Amino acid sequence: MGDIPVFPQLHRPEEARLNIIIVGAGLGGLGAAISLLLAGHNVKIYESATRIDEIGAGIQVLPNASKILTHWGLHEKLSAHSCSPTQCNLINWHGEPLTSMSFTDASQAYGSPFWDFHRSDLHRVLYERVLELGGTVEVKSRVVDCIVDATAGSATVELASGAKASADLVIGADGIRSKMREVLVGHPVPPTPTGDLAYRLLLDTKALMGDADLRAFVEQEQVTYWMGPGIHVVVYLIRNGGLLNMVLLVPDDMPEGATTMEGDIEEMKALFKGWDPRIGKLLSLCKEVQKWKLCIQHELAQWTHPQGHFTLLGDAVHATLPYLASGAGMSLEDGCILGLCLSSPRLPASRKPSGAELNYALQKYEECRKPRTSRIVARGSHQGYLYHLDDGPEQVLRDQELKRKPTREGE
Ligand code: FAD
């Protein structure tokens, strides 16, 4: 796994650089900034939040995404914050093991690790890399509009303050409730609720050590999934084993319009009556919990403005259910491909690309990314169907299939 090259930062003369504005400093926006800075362009990010941070709890990074992060020169820094699970276990809701998959073998096969992080650790490392490469980030800067002027060869963003800024390229990386998506399409495009919500918990692993059943979750660096009717649960370690990240995916009972809210612990516990007793034990350690409505973004006809100079990436254009642990990975892939399209030998090295050259690169980016991300969105929803099968013949068949698959760990 030591042979993944670090991409060097290309040096383009100032007059040959594109000036790029990214809207949103989430994982997708920061990743795109790194990739475009490495491609030799100038990048400025506008972020609406008052400070640079990432909310939420844990995040799984699969080998496709860890490989990109390594190309961006982040392997060493991220390794210091990550857990590297060796195995993934699937269990039915009564606690019966169904199958396991060796992440150690899969990491070898893909040539890059599985990493689990606290989101804010991953986010901070990306942010620091953006600054190191010469990018700038302005907080408290909500972008409310973007107007393309193909004749001038630019796009101009307008901030809530009324200030305006122009660039050769504007990238909307403003997440699932993207304003830039609405602006690009020309009318509101709200994401589609899926009927599921996520309770997200972080448990201090010290509190698990006194119980033999729970201690195993700390001593073995593994990802564990329980599957039951309409519900599944995921746990994995983060922060070098200091925290257990627990996500409970259950039917959505949030009021219309709500996106996140404080969860009721007793209500949450009541959903798990009759489940593997280890879940009840873990939930008894919970002191507070947030719940998140889960939505997806169906494929848009176009990611890029018809006149060019303005495109989208990340959750803004392909938010998926988190059931394949791939939403952030897709956002990082978007940024990586966009950077490669804008560093390709097709672009002139000594002058700024023309509007046509830039827009050709954006078209290639969209052509490359759209089929894969649409497949991931659809596959994520199908995974939910498989995880949440009711008790009955289909569930029995699923579990038989899973048990039939060889358990690779320890073979
Ligand atoms: P966001 O992270 O939403 O970032 C958007 C940024 O834009 C924010 O900083 C926001 O403040 C800013 N912004 C918004 N509007 C404006 C504006 N008008 N002007 C300026 N700034 C603005 N993915 C994985 O790969 N692995 C996982 O294990 C995983 N687990 C998940 C678990 C759950 C419960 C959920 C809900 C998601 C999970 N995901 C996972 C998905 C992942 O979190 C997202 O796909 C990823 O964070 C999307 O990044 P983004 O940068 O596109 O959007």
Side-chain angles (χ1 to χ4, degrees):
M1 273 188 263
D3 54 359
I4 302 171
V6 173
F7 292 158
Q9 185 166 26
L10 301 179
H11 290 287
R12 300 172 71 83
E14 186 57 41
E15 63 277 12
R17 295 181 191 180
L18 291 167
N19 292 313
I20 299 172
I21 288 176
I22 297 178
V23 180
L27 297 172
L30 292 176
I34 292 170
S35 184
L36 292 161
L37 288 161
L38 287 171
H41 301 296
N42 298 325
V43 177
K44 177 164 200 169
I45 306 182
Y46 289 111
E47 165 57 51
S48 57
T50 49
R51 63 193 181 100
I52 292 295
D53 201 357
E54 171 77 12
I55 48 169
I59 189 154
Q60 301 184 68
V61 169
L62 311 187
N64 59 313
S66 68
K67 195 174 273 186
I68 291 171
L69 293 165
T70 302
H71 280 310
W72 291 345
L74 299 173
H75 190 97
E76 202 180 327
K77 275 200 177 154
L78 288 175
S79 297
H81 296 290
S82 66
C83 284
S84 300
T86 57
Q87 182 172 317
C88 171
N89 307 306
L90 291 183
I91 301 179
N92 77 10
W93 63 290
H94 306 293
E96 183 194 359
L98 298 173
T99 193
S100 300
M101 183 178 91
S102 167
F103 276 180
T104 309
D105 291 351
S107 298
Q108 291 292 341
Y110 292 117
S112 198
F114 285 79
W115 273 333
D116 293 340
F117 293 103
H118 194 295
R119 278 169 181 265
S120 62
D121 294 338
L122 172 59
H123 193 262
R124 193 181 53 256
V125 169
L126 289 173
Y127 174 58
E128 286 168 3
R129 185 74 172 133
V130 170
L131 300 187
E132 189 180 281
L133 291 167
T136 54
V137 184
E138 267 190 29
V139 292
K140 295 189 231 165
S141 301
R142 175 172 296 281
V143 177
V144 294
D145 203 359
C146 177
I147 293 167
V148 173
D149 182 343
T151 316
S154 63
T156 301
V157 292
E158 184 178 342
L159 276 66
S161 63
K164 292 186 176 165
S166 296
D168 303 300
L169 172 62
V170 171
I171 301 167
D174 51 341
I176 189 162
R177 279 160 229 290
S178 168
K179 178 70 182 172
M180 293 301 97
R181 178 175 69 228
E182 175 185 325
V183 170
L184 194 142
V185 173
H187 56 80
V189 190
T192 308
T194 59
D196 289 354
L197 67 80
Y199 285 104
R200 300 166 98 173
L201 288 72
L202 286 177
L203 304 176
D204 186 335
T205 49
K206 286 201 263 329
L208 277 63
M209 294 308 281
D211 183 303
D213 283 342
L214 302 190
R215 201 182 311 134
F217 293 116
V218 187
E219 289 174 345
Q220 300 161 354
E221 216 165 296
Q222 300 181 351
V223 181
T224 302
Y225 285 79
W226 286 264
M227 302 182 288
I231 292 181
H232 77 282
V233 178
V234 189
V235 298
Y236 54 86
L237 292 171
I238 57 171
R239 283 256 158 92
N240 298 315
L243 293 170
L244 186 78
N245 183 67
M246 184 172 194
V247 191
L248 308 126
L249 296 309
V250 309
D252 181 8
D253 63 357
M254 288 166 69
E256 217 183 299
T259 53
T260 57
M261 59 194 283
E262 203 174 326
D264 180 318
I265 296 178
E266 293 312 313
E267 229 173 74
M268 175 179 69
K269 285 183 186 165
L271 294 167
F272 292 90
K273 289 222 169 76
W275 279 61
D276 183 341
R278 289 175 295 175
I279 294 191
K281 283 188 186 182
L282 288 169
L283 294 184
S284 71
L285 301 171
C286 170
K287 297 192 179 75
E288 57 175 347
V289 69
Q290 288 281 316
K291 52 187 189 179
W292 301 60
K293 190 184 280 287
L294 296 179
C295 296
I296 58 173
Q297 178 57 51
H298 290 296
E299 183 175 309
L300 294 182
Q302 268 187 306
W303 289 17
T304 302
H305 194 277
Q307 294 180 298
H309 302 282
F310 177 22
T311 194
L312 300 172
L313 68 69
D315 274 12
V317 74
H318 51 63
T320 172
L321 273 166
Y323 299 169
L324 300 174
S326 289
M330 288 303 107
S331 306
L332 296 173
E333 282 188 3
D334 289 347
C336 180
I337 296 297
L338 196 48
L340 292 176
C341 289
L342 290 173
S343 60
S344 101
R346 280 179 177 279
L347 293 187
S350 58
R351 63 164 172 84
K352 199 179 271 206
S354 66
E357 287 162 338
L358 167 61
N359 295 335
Y360 179 80
L362 295 181
Q363 188 192 326
K364 291 294 139 195
Y365 154 70
E366 183 174 328
E367 278 172 20
C368 173
R369 296 302 299 149
K370 201 193 265 186
R372 175 159 165 81
T373 52
S374 295
R375 212 165 53 241
I376 293 285
V377 173
R379 186 65 182 77
S381 299
H382 184 62
Q383 195 66 26
Y385 170 79
L386 294 175
Y387 280 153
H388 295 172
L389 285 175
D390 278 337
D391 290 342
E394 261 196 304
Q395 192 198 82
V396 170
L397 199 65
R398 177 200 67 194
D399 293 354
Q400 280 170 351
E401 275 297 303
L402 288 172
K403 284 184 192 164
R404 229 165 39 82
K405 292 213 168 92
T407 304
R408 291 210 220 140
E409 182 77 357
E411 267 183 339

